[in-house]
């Protein structure tokens, strides 16, 4: 696992975007795994800037989202389908037919989850997956005690996750109780992972994920088993890391040609 402590969200987005572009460029059938939430927004903005500057062309890629609320249709602005449409598909000029989000309104949700797994496999698998981290250590909506080998399925959201996401809903609206989410096993199948963390609210979860034991109590800790996991954190999110001096030392002393932030 490589940990880079970034000055701020803008630098985090730029490093993530350059890494993502270099991974996608090397793929014959590029597939990007996308996340919703606040943290990846600077990465999507940086990807859009690279495109505008002619340094990346993402028009031909496919994308798969991590998760969706059960019961919210794609035309509901609070759905993750709508969020992905605005922050990813439109901003990066992707073909909407090649951007996939689990269908939280399917009549048969179990069959829909299997179809989602099949669609990822048919696309050749995810080349690089963007991840945020919940304050309770979740990735996707894999809440604590999720199986480390889980696949796409229905999950019950933790009360803390629903409270954290209330900001995307009006005060008198309730956050859905259930979601569809790629499993930890599904996420681990991606060939590269980029975990982004921003703000002090994520500090404890990030420290548990990177430096704690691998445990279903902190689902993000499963990344310790991934061969190509890059963790980008701002100073606040990195504030509980015990080895932050070491991560800075590694960043300052990367061998030429291996510098992630100069790709
Ligand atoms: C979103 C997702 C979640 C978020 C996490 C952090 O698709 O899967 O795991 O990444 O809840 O959310 P933010 O970035 O809003 O703090």
């Amino acid at each position: 696992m490589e940990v880079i402590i970034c000055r701020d969200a803008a630098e985090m987005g730029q490093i993530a975007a350059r890494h993502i572009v270099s991974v996608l460029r090397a793929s014959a059938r590029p597939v990007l795994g996308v996340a919703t939430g606040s943290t990846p927004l600077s990465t999507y903005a940086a990807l859009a800037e690279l495109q505008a500057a002619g340094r990346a062309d993402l028009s031909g890629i496919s994308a798969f989202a991590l998760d969706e609320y059960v019961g919210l249709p794609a035309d509901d602005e609070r759905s993750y389908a709508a969020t992905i449409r605005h922050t990813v598909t439109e901003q990066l000029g992707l073909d909407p037919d090649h951007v996939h989000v689990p269908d939280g309104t399917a009549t048969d949700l179990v069959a829909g989850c299997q179809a989602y797994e099949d669609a990822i496999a048919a696309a050749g698998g995810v080349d690089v997956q963007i991840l945020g981290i919940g304050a309770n250590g979740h990735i996707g909506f894999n809440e604590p005690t999720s199986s480390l080998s889980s696949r796409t399925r229905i999950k019950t959201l933790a009360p803390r996750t629903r409270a954290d996401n209330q900001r995307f809903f009006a005060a008198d609206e309730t956050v859905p109780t259930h979601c569809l989410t790629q499993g930890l096993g599904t996420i681990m199948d991606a060939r590269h992972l980029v975990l982004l963390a921003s703000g002090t609210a994520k500090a404890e979860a990030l420290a548990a994920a990177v430096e704690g034991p691998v445990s279903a109590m902190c689902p993000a800790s499963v990344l310790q088993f991934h061969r190509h996991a890059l963790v980008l954190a701002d100073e606040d999110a990195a504030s509980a890391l015990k080895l932050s001096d070491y991560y800075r030392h590694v960043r300052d002393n990367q061998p030429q040609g291996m510098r992630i932030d100069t790709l």
Side-chain angles (χ1 to χ4, degrees):
M1 194 182 284
E2 169 139 23
V3 181
I4 297 181
I5 300 174
C6 307
R7 264 190 320 276
D8 52 26
E11 188 192 37
M12 187 163 75
Q14 284 155 9
I15 296 172
R18 288 197 292 262
H19 179 56
I20 288 163
V21 165
S22 81
V23 172
L24 294 178
R25 203 177 270 149
S27 174
R29 293 168 71 196
V31 179
L32 175 63
V34 291
T36 58
S38 308
T39 322
L41 295 179
S42 65
T43 298
Y44 300 140
L47 285 170
E49 275 170 28
L50 287 177
Q51 286 213 112
R55 294 175 58 199
D57 177 12
L58 301 175
S59 55
I61 72 166
S62 302
F64 286 86
L66 285 167
D67 40 23
E68 178 61 286
Y69 291 114
V70 168
L72 294 190
D75 60 2
D76 185 316
E77 284 302 312
R78 302 161 307 174
S79 70
Y80 281 181
T83 305
I84 292 294
R85 195 162 55 243
H86 300 315
T87 61
V88 177
T89 316
E90 292 169 1
Q91 187 173 203
L92 302 182
L94 307 190
D95 179 344
D97 289 343
H98 294 164
V99 180
H100 311 270
V101 181
D103 180 2
T105 61
T107 336
D108 186 341
L109 291 172
V110 174
C113 289
Q114 184 56 52
Y116 201 68
E117 289 275 338
D118 295 345
I120 294 173
V126 172
D127 288 299
V128 52
Q129 175 67 55
I130 299 170
L131 298 166
I133 183 169
N136 63 3
H138 73 215
I139 51 174
F141 273 144
N142 294 280
E143 303 288 26
T145 71
S146 287
S147 159
L148 299 182
S149 58
S150 48
R151 310 302 304 186
T152 304
R153 68 211 184 290
I154 307 164
K155 283 293 283 180
T156 306
L157 291 165
R160 176 157 193 191
T161 301
R162 294 181 66 223
D164 286 347
N165 288 0
Q166 184 68 50
R167 69 189 195 280
F168 298 113
F169 292 75
D172 60 344
E173 293 169 349
T174 42
V175 179
T177 50
H178 293 84
C179 64
L180 305 180
T181 182
Q182 286 189 32
L184 294 171
T186 318
I187 291 169
M188 289 290 284
D189 282 349
R191 289 179 277 278
H192 294 260
L193 302 177
V194 180
L195 177 73
L196 306 167
S198 177
T200 45
K202 306 297 177 62
E204 291 302 328
L206 188 74
V210 173
E211 297 175 341
V214 175
S215 163
M217 285 299 283
C218 179
S221 66
V222 74
L223 265 63
Q224 293 179 34
F225 280 124
H226 201 283
R227 283 191 294 169
H228 300 292
L230 172 65
V231 175
L232 302 177
D234 68 10
E235 296 280 350
D236 287 339
S239 58
L241 292 172
K242 292 193 186 78
L243 299 187
S244 51
D245 288 348
Y246 171 65
Y247 308 135
R248 288 196 174 88
H249 174 77
V250 171
R251 183 178 181 185
D252 292 342
N253 292 281
Q254 279 172 327
Q256 272 302 326
M258 286 184 61
R259 294 185 64 92
I260 282 191
D261 50 343
T262 55
L263 285 171

